[in-house]
Amino acid sequence: KGISSSNKVERKSDILETPIVLEGEVVKGFGRGSKEIGCPTANFSQDIVENKLPATLDAGIYLGWAKLDGESDRVEKAVVSIGWNPFYKNTKKSVETHILKMYDTDFYGRWMKLKICGYIRPELNFDGLDALITAIQEDVEHAKQQLDQSKFLEMKEDECF
Ligand code: ADP
Ligand code: RBF
Ligand code: MG
C-alpha cells in the first residue's frame, strides 16, 4: 500500500542533462486546496502539460527555478510535481510548481517561467494525508538546500529568464 510516516523516502538531486524550460499562464488547479496541505502550487494549463512538456520526462518530483513576470519579481527556488498524484488518483497529468517564497496574494493569470533542473524522487502513494504533507515539507527543505549547489545556481543564470 502507501508509504506511512515512519517509512523513509529516498531523495536524489540528479541534474537533468537537458533542463526543461516551460512558460505559460498560472491557471486554477484541482481546487483541492494544496494550500490546506501547506504547499500552494501554481498549475500550468492542460495545453502546456500535453503539448509543451516532453513526453519522455518521467513523472516525479523535481527542483528548479521559477520566475513570475513583473518588475519586482526575481528568479526563485522551486519544487515541481509532475504526474498523476497517485495519492489522489488523478486521471489527468499535471505540472504544479511550488515557489519557495511567501506571497501576499494569489497570482492566477500571471505568466510564469520555469526551468526544471533536477530530479528528486518518483511520485508516491501514501497511507494518509499526514504522510503526504510530511514528504512534501521534506521535499521543500531538500530542494532549498540542493539548489544552493553551484551546479544548480549556475542554471539560474539563463537568458530564458
Ligand atoms: P489550485 O488548485 O488552484 O492550483 P492551490 O491551493 O494549489 O490551488 O494554490 C495555488 C495558487 O496559490 C497559485 O496559483 C498562486 O496563485 C498562489 N500561490 C501563493 N503562494 C504561492 C507559492 N509560494 N507557490 C505557488 N503558488 C502560490
Ligand atoms: N502527490 C502525490 O500523490 N504523491 C506525491 O508523492 C506527491 N509529492 C508532491 C511533492 C511536492 C513537492 C508537491 C508540491 C506536490 C506533491 N504531490 C504529490 C501533489 C499534491 O498531491 C498536490 O499538489 C495537491 O494534491 C494539490 O493538487
Ligand atoms: Mg495547485
Side-chain angles (χ1 to χ4, degrees):
K1 265 216 71 191
I3 307 263
S4 73
S5 312
S6 50
N7 291 129
K8 206 163 137 265
V9 175
E10 268 190 54
R11 292 182 177 77
K12 314 181 196 184
S13 55
D14 293 347
I15 195 160
L16 297 193
E17 265 181 51
T18 316
I20 288 151
V21 177
L22 295 174
E23 62 178 294
E25 212 180 302
V26 174
V27 303
K28 282 260 176 192
F30 300 103
R32 193 189 292 129
S34 48
K35 282 170 187 160
E36 285 168 30
I37 67 179
C39 190
T41 57
N43 292 52
F44 276 132
S45 70
Q46 216 51 43
D47 173 54
I48 291 175
V49 177
E50 282 160 22
N51 303 315
K52 301 280 156 61
L53 181 76
T56 49
L57 189 74
D58 292 331
I61 313 306
Y62 292 82
L63 52 76
W65 299 100
K67 185 176 178 295
L68 291 170
D69 63 345
E71 300 216 331
S72 57
D73 289 285
R74 306 186 180 291
V75 182
E76 305 286 350
K77 292 176 176 177
V79 279
V80 189
S81 167
I82 299 177
W84 293 267
N85 301 9
F87 183 74
Y88 292 100
K89 301 184 173 62
N90 291 346
T91 53
K92 280 192 173 155
K93 193 176 186 177
S94 63
V95 176
E96 304 178 47
T97 304
H98 173 68
I99 304 180
L100 275 65
K101 183 193 149 141
M102 291 281 277
Y103 293 87
D104 297 332
T105 53
D106 284 344
F107 41 84
Y108 291 114
R110 284 183 66 190
W111 197 261
M112 182 173 74
K113 287 183 179 169
L114 174 68
K115 184 172 178 181
I116 304 169
C117 301
Y119 172 84
I120 302 178
R121 64 170 176 87
E123 291 189 288
L124 299 168
N125 193 6
F126 293 88
D127 261 3
L129 189 56
D130 284 355
L132 172 64
I133 292 174
T134 301
I136 291 177
Q137 286 170 347
E138 290 173 356
D139 292 330
V140 170
E141 199 48 47
H142 179 79
K144 190 176 172 180
Q145 290 175 13
Q146 298 299 317
L147 283 162
D148 279 330
Q149 291 187 63
S150 55
K151 65 175 180 182
F152 290 124
L153 285 172
E154 282 162 17
M155 297 171 92
K156 180 184 175 181
E157 310 307 324
D158 190 312
E159 57 188 11
C160 77
F161 294 122

